[in-house]
Amino acid sequence: MENRFQAFLIKYAEIGCKGKNRYIFEDALVKQIRHALKPVDGQFTVSKESGRIYVNCEGEYDYEETITALKRVFGIVGICPLVQIDDNGFEDLKEQVVAYMDRTYPDKNITFKVVARRARKNYPVDSMTMNALLGEAILQAFPEISVDVHEPDVFLNVEIRNRINIYSEIIPGPGGMPVGTAGKAMLLLSGGIDSPVAGYMVAKRGVKLDAVYFHAPPYTSERAKQKVVDLARRVARYSGPIQLHVINFTDIQLYIYEKCPHEELTIIMRRYMMRIAETIAKENECLGLITGESIGQVASQTMQSLAATNEVCTLPVFRPVIAFDKQDIVDISVKIDTYETSVLPYEDCCTIFVAKHPVTKPNVNVIRKNERKLEENIDELVKIALETDEKIWVEAD
């Protein structure tokens, strides 16, 4: 594709509502944009100017790849391919606007509306007059084009700033807040559909992610572990790099299986996962845990079961998909390109030791009593699991 645009105007939303600390969020967004564009072919500079963020492209670059990268940066609500010109007088501006419409819309059978704004109030033509005169110039140049001030095909934006911005397309961004502006949290990442979506949703609110995966060799294969690494890579496209902790959970699972009632296996295993995840989270300065649990989806996700797993945590547990139907979660997983990986047939450790009739309304006092049967060796097994934590630095693929 011919690179008609050598710059992009980046629009944000919530950041604009911030007060005196707004610059912190703007700077974080600039940093994330620079990081996202590193692997893209081309030379880019990212700058701030009076409530605007610009991406300038030097020389040749890959337009489609650039848009794809920007659409993964949380905090961006709009990406505007931009023509920037120097102020050489209003007659020159009219010529530039006509040329822009000619290049951008080869098919002239369209309706349009000019939306002019003056950030520089000393510009000699006011906004209303600009709307009329620029519209008139376009109509004279292209008789087949017509004006529609209510529902036009094209909104032609003309902004008078230090330079003059001309743009008519606003490509939607993901919204949210820039990653890193809201602390860090630990994602319990499995090979399923739900947890990558949960990580994506919390990252969208500006939270940086670490992740922990509970591996159970030989009951789960190396391919199952690789599947989780692949999912982390997909999430990292949006969240930035993720430190993935792989915990060998086999001995703990076998010991619980040996000592505890089988209908309580899932809940007790889940409680130990939460304990281990919280320990790693605190060591890595995380402020909360993230899970992909949804009320009633499986036996370990009833209200009673969730209360039983929460009881072992002191950090808050964030469950962004808690009230979602499965299809809601699947829809997001398709959008963020984790679904096809999630449904690959490699089991994670949660699905190996599943009771035929798991308890759906566990009594916490009974669970605690049965956990006391583990006291002889469980602390040592947890200690070994933590000491043999395999750390994998995962970057976007």
Side-chain angles (χ1 to χ4, degrees), residues 15 45 54 103 110 145 148 156 172 256 288 310 315 325 336:
I15 294 173
T45 57
Y54 296 100
R103 286 195 310 270
I110 55 172
I145 291 181
D148 183 341
L156 177 63
I256 295 170
N310 259 32
L315 288 178
D325 291 342
I336 66 174

Side-chain angles (χ1 to χ4, degrees), residues 24-211:
I24 296 172
F25 294 88
E26 290 178 333
D27 290 347
L29 182 54
V30 167
K31 180 181 176 183
Q32 291 299 322
I33 291 170
R34 286 175 179 152
H35 179 79
L37 291 174
K38 274 184 182 177
V40 178
D41 288 339
Q43 295 292 317
F44 303 93
T45 57
V46 187
S47 59
K48 288 195 311 176
E49 180 195 309
S50 305
R52 288 286 189 272
I53 293 175
Y54 296 100
V55 175
N56 288 290
C57 318
E58 299 168 16
E60 290 298 310
Y61 71 100
D62 189 315
Y63 177 87
E64 295 298 337
E65 199 180 338
T66 302
I67 295 296
T68 298
L70 292 172
K71 285 170 76 171
R72 291 175 179 156
V73 179
F74 291 134
I76 295 177
V77 297
I79 305 153
C80 308
L82 185 69
V83 168
Q84 273 194 323
I85 63 170
D86 292 323
D87 180 7
N88 293 316
F90 190 69
E91 289 304 312
D92 178 71
L93 175 58
K94 284 199 290 187
E95 291 176 12
Q96 296 277 6
V97 163
V98 168
Y100 173 91
M101 291 295 288
D102 195 24
R103 286 195 310 270
T104 310
Y105 301 100
D107 179 4
K108 301 298 189 292
N109 188 24
I110 55 172
T111 60
F112 79 100
K113 175 183 179 179
V114 178
V115 182
R117 300 181 190 85
R118 293 185 308 164
R120 282 193 285 124
K121 297 304 180 187
N122 62 350
Y123 192 76
V125 184
D126 66 46
S127 299
M128 292 295 290
T129 306
M130 262 195 287
N131 289 339
L133 294 178
L134 294 176
E136 182 181 52
I138 292 167
L139 291 171
Q140 286 178 348
F142 312 112
E144 62 270 47
I145 291 181
S146 59
V147 171
D148 183 341
V149 296
H150 300 295
E151 293 185 0
D153 299 320
V154 174
F155 282 94
L156 177 63
N157 294 275
V158 179
E159 295 183 349
I160 309 298
R161 294 181 169 271
N162 290 335
R163 300 184 75 199
I164 298 175
N165 298 334
I166 304 171
Y167 64 95
S168 57
E169 185 180 10
I170 303 177
I171 300 164
M177 298 293 281
V179 171
T181 56
K184 185 164 65 167
M186 180 66 69
L187 170 66
L188 279 77
L189 183 62
S190 73
I193 295 170
D194 306 336
S195 57
V197 170
Y200 163 86
M201 291 178 68
V202 173
K204 186 175 179 178
R205 298 308 308 157
V207 177
K208 190 177 185 322
L209 299 181
D210 280 1

Side-chain angles (χ1 to χ4, degrees), residues 206-223:
V207 177
K208 190 177 185 322
L209 299 181
D210 280 1
V212 57
Y213 163 61
F214 293 92
H215 192 40
Y219 302 98
T220 53
S221 65
E222 281 300 303
R223 190 62 193 82

